[in-house]
Amino acid sequence: MATVELTGDNLEQKLSEKDISLIDFWAPWCGPCRQFGPIYEEVSENHDDILFGKVNTEEEQELAAVAGITSIPTLMIFREQIPVFSHSGAIPAAALEDLIKQVRALDMDDVRKQAAEAAQQSGHAAQTATQKD
């Protein structure tokens, strides 16, 4: 499976097509991005069931901002559209393969529970801050 260019127009649709999605946030002028690109492409060939997306942060600045990207390359991994991993910097092929194994092994019931708890705490903190104003 080759990598797929992701944009604001196709991101949600593409993320919903696969159980696991990896997104490489990069820019053409970034040396480490150019080093990581071929590794990312090579690993994508081993996993037809995973979306390997790329977001050009120069062309998709709004997407990068929404994702909170502050340095590139940044790799984000989603499972069932839930973010489960984020790392800035290039990753060697063996480490990327290991990450994929770890993401496949996740207990998604536990991940969903943790995500719901985090959202509830975040909502409570926002409500508390609003009440103090």
Side-chain angles (χ1 to χ4, degrees), residues 5 10 20 23 29 39-40 46 48 64 76 85 88 90 93 96 106 111 115 120 123 130 132:
E5 198 65 37
N10 72 0
I20 298 173
I23 303 176
W29 51 263
I39 294 167
Y40 189 70
N46 301 329
D48 290 339
M76 294 183 77
F85 178 83
S88 295
L96 186 53
L106 286 173
V111 170
Q120 185 177 19
T130 304
K132 289 181 180 179

Side-chain angles (χ1 to χ4, degrees), residues 57-76:
T57 58
E58 290 292 300
E59 296 176 2
E60 298 292 334
Q61 293 180 13
E62 188 174 325
L63 264 184
V66 168
I69 304 303
T70 57
S71 63
I72 53 174
T74 291
L75 177 69
M76 294 183 77

